[in-house]
């Protein structure tokens, strides 16, 4: 596996973790807004997203974890 393949794989995992984190945030927002069918769906999906995020985060290298933290902070400032 070449350097470009490793970097691409690393970036993909960080992007995937960030996407899952955004889904967790969206579920939390939906739950805070109301008691409709979308809130029920969010309540059902939230544990799945959280488990997947924990699994993926545990597999990230320290450098990838730092990249994820930086991306998360940047996303929160937008």
């Amino acid at each position: 596996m070449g350097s470009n393949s490793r970097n691409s794989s690393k970036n993909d995992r960080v992007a995937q973790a960030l996407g899952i984190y955004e889904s967790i945030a969206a579920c939390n927002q939906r739950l805070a807004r109301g008691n409709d069918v979308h809130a029920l769906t969010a309540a059902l999906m939230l544990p799945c997203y959280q488990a997947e995020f924990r699994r993926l985060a545990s597999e990230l290298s320290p450098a990838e974890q730092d990249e994820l933290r930086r991306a998360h902070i940047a996303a929160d400032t937008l």
Side-chain angles (χ1 to χ4, degrees), residues 9-10 12-15 17 53-66 68:
S9 175
K10 177 177 132 176
D12 290 347
R13 292 190 329 170
V14 171
F53 182 81
R54 283 191 297 272
R55 183 199 63 76
L56 185 57
S58 72
E59 295 175 358
L60 297 178
S61 70
E64 289 171 318
Q65 291 174 5
D66 287 343
L68 179 60

Side-chain angles (χ1 to χ4, degrees), residues 66-77:
D66 287 343
E67 185 178 342
L68 179 60
R69 280 187 204 98
R70 285 191 303 273
H72 168 68
I73 290 168
D76 281 351
T77 60

Side-chain angles (χ1 to χ4, degrees), residues 8-66:
S8 177
S9 175
K10 177 177 132 176
N11 292 339
D12 290 347
R13 292 190 329 170
V14 171
Q16 182 181 7
L18 189 57
I20 294 168
Y21 185 84
E22 290 169 354
S23 294
I24 291 169
C27 284
N28 285 325
Q29 287 177 345
R30 177 52 75 177
L31 288 169
R33 273 193 235 146
N35 193 14
D36 62 2
V37 68
H38 299 293
L40 176 59
T41 302
L44 293 171
M45 291 304 300
L46 185 57
C48 300
Y49 287 135
Q50 290 170 328
E52 182 63 13
F53 182 81
R54 283 191 297 272
R55 183 199 63 76
L56 185 57
S58 72
E59 295 175 358
L60 297 178
S61 70
E64 289 171 318
Q65 291 174 5
D66 287 343

